[in-house]
Amino acid sequence: MTSRLPALNDWVDQVAALTRPAAIHWCDGSDEENQALVARMQADGTLLPLNADTHPNCWLHRSHPEDVARVEHLTFVCTEDRDDAGPNNHWMSPADGHAQMDELFEGCMEGRTMYVIPYCMGPIDSPLSRCGVEITDSPYVVANMRLMTRMGALALARIEREGSFVKGLHSTGELDPKRRFIMHFPEELTIKSYGSGYGGNALLGKKCHALRIASWQAREEGWLAEHMLIVGIENPQGQTHYIAAAFPSACGKTNLAMLIPPDAYREAGWKVWTVGDDICWMRPGPDGRLWAINPEAGFFGVAPGTSEQSNPNALASLQSNAIFTNVAVTDDNQPWWEGLDKRTPAIDWQGRAFDPANGPAAHPNARFTVSARQTPSWSEKAEDPQGVPISAIVFGGRRASLVPLVFEARDWAHGVLIGASMGSETTAAATGAVGVMRRDPMAMKPFCGYNFADYFGHWLSFDGDEAKLPKIFHVNWFRKGDGGDFLWPGFGDNMRVLEWMIGRVKGEAEGVDTPIGILPTPEALNLDGVDLTGEAREKLFGVDTDGWKAEAASIGEYLSSYGEAMPDALHAQQRRLAEALG
Ligand code: OXD
Ligand code: MN
């Protein structure tokens, strides 16, 4: 097979000449193709079958033990002008980047099959969607891309119609961390990734295309590509508000996207609909509101911590047709991870008999890949070509101290400052130290494909006369007390905070003006059935003025570190914050 698009055929020919595969397979996305691939991976041990009675058509993949997370220090944005990539990215010139990558790709597919994967990010007939083609030598990548994107014949037809696509070239190479790079060439809509099979490095439709390249495209075309879940909250009157929320990796986005409201809410008729759990593309509609799609078709979620209590919807979706990566297994061969339940696993993520002395049974960044449609809370609106209108944008980080449960921005520009100054403690989703506080603006630190200063400017530019923009909020589910315990129950109880936000959007809920923004009084939130200590009330609903003065100064320094490029409007917002704190 080839395509009717000469530009695509030429590129595939060039890649084949460089990588010298034994065979080329164009993926059509069919069930037969998938079954043949799975059989091949089962035969060579890439996929291990899990208990077919409890988990039909579920598979376990064990990655190389040194290839378990994104590698930010090996991820580059290659632009002609270094300033376009900004201090927030590792930079290389496109010429050097290509030279370095092409040397690695030279002959790397000898003896292997090269797969050509046409895919569409977003509903296949949506004007907001964008297409790409990933070339890879990994059948595991093909199987995951089939769950995560609209992949195959329909995507190819759209690519042929449109004539343009993002080019992604991937090889697992030798899985040698010293020969591993993920490079982006936004000016050429091109990605080259070598030496890793891990999702965020290898499923190029996800972080590489839908965030790094798409954020660049979005700036040129007047939209936003964000690291946000999209959730619909239906009230007892049947009215649904859609909320987009940005959190750093492994901070509970999937849980919030699939939240089950507390009993009293459910009995009253509240429902939660999942549109997306990781990425959101938003564009102003003719009515001035922001309309959003989830460009993905599946979930690549963090397994540890997922349980009947924290996320029953995710668990229900994982009973069949799922790929598990780096989880442990029980003695009857069911997938298992820390936080799932009280059983003791038999085999750890590296295939060894489980021994607590070796550390956790599942890798802390163990993942599941599953089609979004399998989730009980899946929203049919996820397939709507127009997307869904966004009423509120939420920014949130993992902050043990200082930051209250929720506050609202006074206006859009203030909201952009709140997003730009977001901080969070690092997690296992990327290699490196865990638990270190760093600024992670809009949860896009690892994913913004261009200079953050320009990105903030792009955000500010949406505030036009005709715009009917969402309200912006900041939340912190992770505030700890002096004894080190979490002060807020989180999970389903986060519904209480979402209800307040929707009340604010409708002009119904009470808020108190403070120097950092508008906070609910504890009375403005429905806390029926939540037992908060005095310390919790004070810390979750209070503003520590001295602590915030130091925070405001640190935000000022952070903004200044971008030099001249930082928009004055953000400096002005920071000054306003500092002055309000006195
Ligand atoms: C992810 C991540 O996989 O953010 O979604 O790392
Ligand atoms: Mn993510």
Side-chain angles (χ1 to χ4, degrees):
M1 187 180 139
T2 53
S3 117
R4 285 195 293 271
L5 188 65
L8 175 52
N9 293 330
D10 291 349
W11 176 57
V12 171
D13 288 347
Q14 280 162 23
V15 171
L18 175 67
T19 59
R20 299 192 290 274
I24 302 180
H25 177 96
W26 288 69
C27 299
D28 61 16
S30 64
D31 287 341
E32 299 71 46
E33 176 182 82
N34 188 52
Q35 278 153 17
L37 270 172
V38 168
R40 196 167 155 180
M41 286 189 276
Q42 191 180 351
D44 71 12
T46 304
L47 290 185
L48 306 170
L50 288 163
N51 187 322
D53 295 327
T54 58
H55 291 78
N57 197 29
C58 286
W59 303 91
L60 167 64
H61 173 71
R62 292 198 184 110
S63 78
H64 188 285
E66 289 196 72
D67 184 32
V68 290
R70 286 183 290 97
V71 280
E72 292 176 14
H73 60 296
L74 303 174
T75 300
F76 286 73
V77 170
C78 305
T79 48
E80 288 299 342
D81 183 343
R82 185 178 195 140
D83 287 343
D84 287 337
N88 46 303
N89 281 301
H90 298 296
W91 176 86
M92 204 178 279
S93 75
D96 289 350
H98 282 304
Q100 185 160 329
M101 294 310 281
D102 291 354
E103 204 181 308
L104 294 170
F105 279 112
E106 165 90 52
C108 73
M109 295 190 192
E110 268 170 14
R112 299 189 191 185
T113 298
M114 174 175 121
Y115 299 92
V116 181
I117 314 172
Y119 63 87
C120 178
M121 299 311 292
I124 200 87
D125 52 355
S126 169
L128 282 76
S129 301
R130 295 287 182 276
C131 291
V133 177
E134 173 165 359
I135 296 180
T136 179
D137 54 9
S138 162
Y140 167 81
V141 165
V142 180
N144 277 274
M145 284 290 282
R146 186 165 184 273
L147 293 169
M148 295 302 297
T149 71
R150 282 92 172 162
M151 174 268 247
L154 290 176
L156 181 59
R158 178 167 172 164
I159 290 168
E160 288 173 340
R161 228 174 27 246
E162 292 184 337
S164 68
F165 59 96
V166 170
K167 296 185 179 107
L169 172 55
H170 167 256
S171 170
T172 45
E174 308 81 4
L175 295 175
D176 173 358
K178 289 194 224 55
R179 288 167 57 81
R180 178 176 297 159
F181 289 102
I182 295 91
M183 296 218 187
H184 304 75
F185 305 85
E187 286 142 334
E188 304 162 39
L189 301 185
T190 294
I191 306 153
K192 292 186 174 176
S193 166
Y194 189 90
S196 167
Y198 172 72
N201 303 326
L203 311 181
L204 300 186
K206 194 174 179 61
K207 303 300 185 181
C208 301
H209 176 164
L211 288 175
R212 298 195 191 96
I213 298 287
S215 59
W216 179 286
Q217 275 185 303
R219 180 177 176 222
E220 286 184 337
E221 299 173 7
W223 49 283
L224 289 165
E226 299 302 323
H227 190 205
M228 292 179 180
L229 64 92
I230 308 169
V231 66
I233 309 291
E234 185 179 328
N235 67 16
Q237 293 73 47
Q239 197 183 23
T240 305
H241 287 87
Y242 292 92
I243 297 178
F247 294 85
S249 310
C251 285
K253 289 222 302 294
T254 305
N255 294 344
L256 186 61
M258 298 180 188
L259 173 150
I260 304 240
D263 289 347
Y265 278 81
R266 273 187 292 154
E267 282 153 21
W270 289 86
K271 296 194 180 93
V272 172
W273 299 106
T274 310
V275 179
D277 83 328
D278 195 41
I279 302 180
C280 166
W281 287 357
M282 291 184 277
R283 186 160 91 175
D287 60 358
R289 292 192 288 175
L290 287 183
W291 289 76
I293 59 164
N294 168 15
E296 300 191 284
F299 303 126
F300 179 66
V302 180
T306 306
S307 71
E308 198 51 58
Q309 286 72 44
S310 66
N311 194 339
N313 278 322
L315 218 52
S317 70
L318 297 177
Q319 289 311 116
S320 58
N321 313 314
I323 300 173
F324 295 88
T325 301
N326 292 338
V327 298
V329 290
T330 58
D331 54 7
D332 62 346
N333 203 28
Q334 295 189 46
W336 191 91
W337 48 82
E338 275 68 21
L340 174 60
D341 55 33
K342 292 200 159 41
R343 285 174 299 171
T344 304
I347 314 276
D348 77 3
W349 66 280
Q350 299 192 58
R352 302 172 298 197
F354 173 60
D355 177 353
N358 288 332
H363 187 275
N365 194 35
R367 297 279 178 149
F368 54 78
T369 321
V370 70
S371 162
R373 286 174 181 272
Q374 291 201 177
T375 307
S377 57
W378 183 76
S379 166
E380 295 205 345
K381 288 280 182 185
E383 286 297 340
D384 191 328
Q386 300 312 316
V388 293
I390 298 296
S391 298
I393 288 178
V394 179
F395 295 119
R398 200 179 263 278
R399 295 290 293 263
S401 59
L402 186 68
V403 183
L405 179 63
V406 55
F407 59 99
E408 178 191 326
R410 276 181 307 272
D411 54 27
W412 184 257
H414 180 217
V416 175
L417 177 77
I418 290 172
S421 57
M422 235 169 91
S424 196
E425 292 148 21
T426 50
T427 68
T431 52
V434 168
V436 180
M437 157 51 199
R438 71 166 180 179
R439 298 255 168 237
D440 189 351
M442 275 96 165
M444 284 286 278
K445 167 76 186 75
F447 307 121
C448 185
Y450 62 103
N451 194 325
F452 259 149
D454 298 331
Y455 169 77
F456 302 145
H458 182 49
W459 264 81
L460 289 166
S461 75
F462 283 81
D463 197 4
D465 287 345
E466 304 298 312
K468 293 199 184 60
L469 294 167
K471 275 187 178 291
I472 297 181
F473 298 87
H474 189 283
V475 299
N476 179 20
W477 313 137
F478 302 95
R479 184 73 188 261
K480 289 188 175 163
D482 294 338
D485 292 336
F486 288 114
L487 296 176
W488 177 246
F491 302 110
D493 286 306
N494 292 338
M495 180 71 197
R496 301 169 192 280
V497 177
L498 301 184
E499 185 193 9
W500 180 73
M501 290 175 188
I502 294 169
R504 293 292 301 166
V505 166
K506 291 164 74 179
E508 291 168 2
E510 291 292 325
V512 190
D513 243 315
T514 79
I516 67 166
I518 301 154
L519 265 73
T521 56
E523 294 70 43
L525 231 61
N526 174 355
L527 292 176
D528 287 352
V530 187
D531 201 10
L532 294 181
T533 60
E535 183 195 15
R537 279 176 186 259
E538 186 195 312
K539 292 198 163 130
L540 293 171
F541 300 99
V543 178
D544 158 9
T545 306
D546 286 341
W548 273 97
K549 276 188 192 166
E551 177 77 356
S554 144
I555 292 170
E557 278 164 30
Y558 178 68
L559 297 182
S560 297
S561 71
Y562 286 82
E564 293 288 292
M566 184 55 67
D568 287 341
L570 274 199
H571 283 300
Q573 286 293 333
Q574 184 275 339
R575 279 195 301 273
R576 187 173 164 179
L577 170 66
E579 280 158 21
L581 288 158

